[in-house]
Amino acid sequence: MRWAGPIAGVCLWAGAVSAETDPSEAAQMASRMLQQASVALDEADSARDRVRALTVTVQAYEAGLEAMRDGLRRAAIREAELTARLQSREAEISQLIGVLQTMESAPPPVLLLHPSGPLGVARSGMMLAEVTPGLNQRAQHLSQDLREVSDLREVQENALATLQEGLSGVQSARAELSKAVADRTDLPKRFTEDPVRTAILISSTETLDAFASGLSEIAGAEIAATNADISQRKGKVELPAAGVLLHRAGEADAAGIRREGMLVATRPRALVTTPTAATIRYRGPLLDLGNVVILEPQPDLLFVLSGLNEVYGEPGQVIPKGTPVGLMGGAGPEIGAILSLSGDGTGTGRSETLYIEVREGGSPVDPETWFQTEKDG
């Protein structure tokens, strides 16, 4: 497929950007990632599977913007460190520049004269020979710091246009993806939802447990059997969205509430995908959970995802791994917010929360028995 090349390039850049990468280089690499994502968006129109192409394009934009945020933050921090260091050494730098200018402007005969005669000249020469390398080294370090400050400022200035294009591009990609998912007709279905039965079930239940137990009642006819089995992936299933684990199952949140599932903090408008092939058993608003998607990867196993702003797909559809099932809420960041150092990379930009509950055999289980998580994201 034509779009595989640009996406592969984005993945390569994403893997190369690390905490050890020079801040200036990291920001430049992130810029190239966003440019590759833009190419992928242009080429997605001609892809045979537009949903897949646009899904990967949105993920590429998200990865590029995340790398750009991190690269610019680190570049700004580095610039501030260098500027503070140069300001603290202002007197020393002025003195160093004065000495070097004197050495450069003084004629050789004057430098060689000494009131103590030839012996004094020799001693002065020896002292100058010892001091000059140190002065040159200090001057070189000063020059490197000044040059780095200049380069970092240039990187941040050049990033403004790339950021604007990236933010605009990801919005376009999300809109096209929503339309492509709605127009999709090639997915198999295990059942067709009966809207009346669904409404009755929702109105007659007050808990997620009760609703999940009655899911079989929302089908208009018998639900086709399946022999799907993902047991070999237990404990290795990836999270449905890029984010940071906030609370594990049973941990109290800021309000003292303990839940059967876990909470993951995501960026606003983050794409949520199914981590495995699964049947959509329900999607839509439910109780006080907001928009919910309930996935069935195998019989008697449910992945419940709630807190989404938009949900995709239709109940009964069997969707492959990586298929988008929704978008998180929130407003996309402004350029000023991305360039701000107020968050200092602590994850404050992850303002949305995705709730993940796993139900096995009709009862909730610790999601981490299935999902691979890292507390620090």
Side-chain angles (χ1 to χ4, degrees), residues 76-213:
I77 291 175
R78 177 61 177 164
E79 181 196 347
E81 290 175 350
L82 289 172
T83 301
R85 187 166 76 187
L86 290 171
Q87 290 175 344
S88 68
R89 298 170 54 195
E90 187 173 359
E92 177 188 352
I93 291 170
S94 298
Q95 183 180 18
L96 172 61
I97 293 175
V99 171
L100 292 175
Q101 288 177 337
T102 300
M103 292 175 60
E104 291 175 356
S105 61
V110 174
L111 290 175
L112 291 175
L113 292 177
H114 196 279
S116 299
L119 184 58
V121 171
R123 288 175 176 169
S124 297
M126 293 172 64
M127 292 175 62
L128 188 61
E130 292 176 355
V131 172
T132 301
L135 292 174
N136 287 334
Q137 187 177 33
R138 289 163 62 190
Q140 289 174 2
H141 289 164
L142 171 61
S143 177
Q144 291 172 358
D145 287 350
L146 290 171
R147 186 162 52 249
E148 186 176 356
V149 169
S150 176
D151 291 344
L152 289 169
R153 286 179 179 172
E154 182 178 359
V155 164
Q156 293 174 80
E157 291 171 359
N158 293 339
L160 291 175
T162 304
L163 267 177
Q164 185 64 62
E165 293 173 2
L167 292 171
S168 175
V170 72
Q171 290 176 354
S172 298
R174 286 169 179 153
E176 291 190 28
L177 176 60
S178 297
K179 185 177 185 304
V181 171
D183 294 341
R184 192 170 199 172
T185 59
D186 60 338
L187 293 174
K189 296 189 72 173
R190 288 180 57 207
F191 67 90
T192 300
E193 180 189 33
D194 185 327
V196 175
R197 290 187 174 185
T198 300
I200 292 174
L201 177 62
I202 292 175
S203 64
S204 62
T205 56
E206 297 181 354
T207 65
L208 176 60
D209 184 80
F211 182 82
S213 298

Side-chain angles (χ1 to χ4, degrees), residues 313-337:
E314 297 179 10
Q317 286 181 334
V318 181
I319 55 177
K321 175 185 176 182
T323 299
V325 294
L327 286 174
M328 298 301 294
E334 299 292 334
I335 287 182

Side-chain angles (χ1 to χ4, degrees), residues 214-235:
L215 275 178
S216 59
E217 301 174 12
I218 72 174
E222 185 177 351
I223 299 176
T226 176
N227 59 358
D229 184 4
I230 65 164
S231 56
Q232 75 281 1
R233 295 189 59 197
K234 199 166 187 177

Side-chain angles (χ1 to χ4, degrees), residues 234-308:
K234 199 166 187 177
K236 301 177 183 178
V237 177
E238 297 176 358
L239 291 174
V244 175
L245 179 62
L246 283 181
H247 298 289
R248 291 185 162 93
E251 286 185 348
D253 61 15
I257 299 174
R258 300 179 186 274
R259 297 178 174 84
E260 303 285 358
M262 60 185 179
L263 277 178
V264 175
T266 75
R267 297 283 183 186
R269 309 296 291 163
L271 184 65
V272 182
T273 62
T274 176
T276 69
T279 300
I280 300 177
R281 294 300 305 267
Y282 175 79
R283 71 105 176 93
L286 181 64
L287 305 174
D288 60 349
L289 299 173
N291 275 326
V292 172
V293 175
I294 300 180
L295 304 172
E296 184 185 59
Q298 67 182 36
D300 293 325
L301 177 66
L302 299 177
F303 292 164
V304 182
L305 313 177
S306 75
L308 295 84

